[in-house]
Amino acid sequence: MNLKYKRRYDSLKRSIKSYLLENASLTDEICHLQAELSRSRSQRLYLIERLMFHEGLEKPNSSRSSVTNGKIETTENSGGTKKNKPVVVQKKSNDDKAKSVAIVRKKKSAFPMNLNSILLHSLGEIISVNPNFHNESWIYPVGYVATRIYAHPKDPRKKCVFTCKILNNAGIPQFQIIPDNDLDGVFFGESANTCHMELLNTIQRSPNVKVKIPFEVQGEVFFGLSNQKTQSLLMIDPGFPQCTNFKSFAVPNSKSINNASISFETLQAFLT
């Protein structure tokens, strides 16, 4: 009888030793993957910041397209962008009479598009037949995707890239705010304000926040829907005229961009 239990005991010892080795191997692999993930997040944040900078900022030189002695000369304007004005080229006919030929250069909107504090990746599509996707003051295009930099929900002292999305959930808009590579920390709801409020509440509950921060829920501003360029692009969408409930875009407070609920830099002033 004792020999029987001894064999069982030896078998259990071998199994436990095997599980310990397997667990140690898995732990090492998880640590390695976490290190790789952390490095990838840092690289992605760096690349997003560089992209947002280069998409919107250029060297300030005055520029304009002009014709001098039959040659086209191009200079830059004070804002660093080239104006899409007609360029007049002088051509001589057989009668030595100059003819003006207007050449209009059109510039297509390219994505991602820098909108100051937000990077627009996709404008989406207006669903005009469904009143759930627009109201008197806002239009919520399905497939809208934008990214912005704000405070990390778990550690507000660190920057985090947030992806803002608008999806179609069985005829009801679903708004999502997704922290960088954190699928377990997605904020979603049926309105932009709901998502933004959940994000702000999570930041307020963070152990690193010792004071009450005067947050203001501004979901549409956080998503970038209040940006004039975004609104201009929506107004040329074929579905825009069919939004019967829509009256005009709401005009947010000019100070909202620098509010702690939107600006990472302003939020840091409350945390220091």
Side-chain angles (χ1 to χ4, degrees):
M1 181 66 67
N2 291 336
L3 184 61
K4 176 183 177 182
Y5 287 115
K6 184 178 179 181
R7 285 197 297 267
R8 290 185 178 179
Y9 174 74
D10 292 338
S11 177
L12 287 174
K13 284 182 61 177
R14 288 192 297 270
S15 298
I16 292 173
K17 184 177 180 180
S18 175
Y19 287 138
L20 286 174
L21 294 174
E22 183 178 358
N23 182 67
S25 177
L26 291 174
T27 302
D28 291 341
E29 184 66 20
I30 290 174
C31 291
H32 175 72
L33 292 176
Q34 286 179 338
E36 289 290 333
L37 182 59
S38 177
R39 184 159 48 250
S40 298
R41 287 178 177 176
S42 300
Q43 292 175 353
R44 182 172 182 263
L45 177 60
Y46 171 76
L47 292 174
I48 285 288
E49 289 180 332
R50 289 289 302 274
L51 180 59
M52 293 180 72
F53 176 80
H54 287 292
E55 283 290 328
L57 300 178
E58 296 179 8
K59 293 183 179 180
N61 297 319
S62 62
S63 170
R64 187 160 302 182
S65 297
S66 60
V67 178
T68 305
N69 297 329
K71 296 182 180 180
I72 301 176
E73 296 181 354
T74 302
T75 57
E76 296 183 355
N77 58 22
S78 59
T81 56
K82 294 182 179 179
K83 295 184 178 180
N84 300 324
K85 291 188 175 182
V87 179
V88 179
V89 180
Q90 301 292 337
K91 291 185 178 181
K92 291 185 177 180
S93 63
N94 295 331
D95 299 330
D96 295 331
K97 293 181 179 180
K99 295 182 179 180
S100 297
V101 180
I103 302 175
V104 180
R105 297 176 180 174
K106 296 182 179 179
K107 184 179 180 181
K108 296 182 179 180
S109 299
F111 293 97
M113 182 182 299
N114 184 278
L115 307 178
N116 295 328
S117 59
I118 198 166
L119 199 64
L120 181 61
H121 297 270
S122 173
L123 186 65
E125 180 183 1
I126 295 178
I127 309 298
S128 58
V129 296
N130 190 336
N132 292 327
F133 291 91
H134 66 275
N135 52 38
E136 292 185 357
S137 303
W138 300 104
I139 293 177
Y140 307 114
V142 175
Y144 177 90
V145 180
T147 55
R148 74 179 307 129
I149 296 176
Y150 189 56
H152 196 286
K154 299 178 181 178
D155 188 358
R157 297 182 184 277
K158 295 181 179 179
K159 288 184 178 181
C160 178
V161 177
F162 290 87
T163 302
C164 304
K165 295 183 178 181
I166 302 178
L167 306 177
N168 186 352
N169 184 16
I172 299 175
Q174 184 182 85
F175 297 80
Q176 294 184 356
I177 298 178
I178 308 172
D180 184 27
N181 293 335
D182 188 2
L183 297 180
D184 295 330
V186 177
F187 303 94
F188 61 90
E190 294 183 2
S191 70
N193 283 341
T194 300
C195 297
H196 193 211
M197 182 175 60
E198 291 183 3
L199 171 60
L200 298 179
N201 290 339
T202 302
I203 293 176
Q204 185 65 68
R205 293 192 299 265
S206 173
N208 296 323
V209 178
K210 307 298 182 182
V211 296
K212 180 68 176 179
I213 302 176
F215 283 133
E216 294 181 14
V217 179
Q218 304 176 87
E220 283 79 9
V221 178
F222 191 88
F223 271 72
L225 296 172
S226 64
N227 188 278
Q228 293 184 352
K229 181 62 176 179
T230 302
Q231 295 174 358
S232 299
L233 292 174
L234 289 174
M235 292 175 66
I236 62 176
D237 187 282
F240 178 79
Q242 283 74 44
C243 296
T244 56
N245 294 334
F246 178 78
K247 303 301 181 183
S248 64
F249 287 107
V251 180
N253 191 331
S254 58
K255 298 181 180 179
S256 62
I257 298 178
N258 296 323
N259 189 277
S261 59
I262 301 295
S263 172
F264 174 81
E265 288 74 17
T266 305
L267 176 60
Q268 300 312 300
F270 291 94
L271 300 179
T272 54

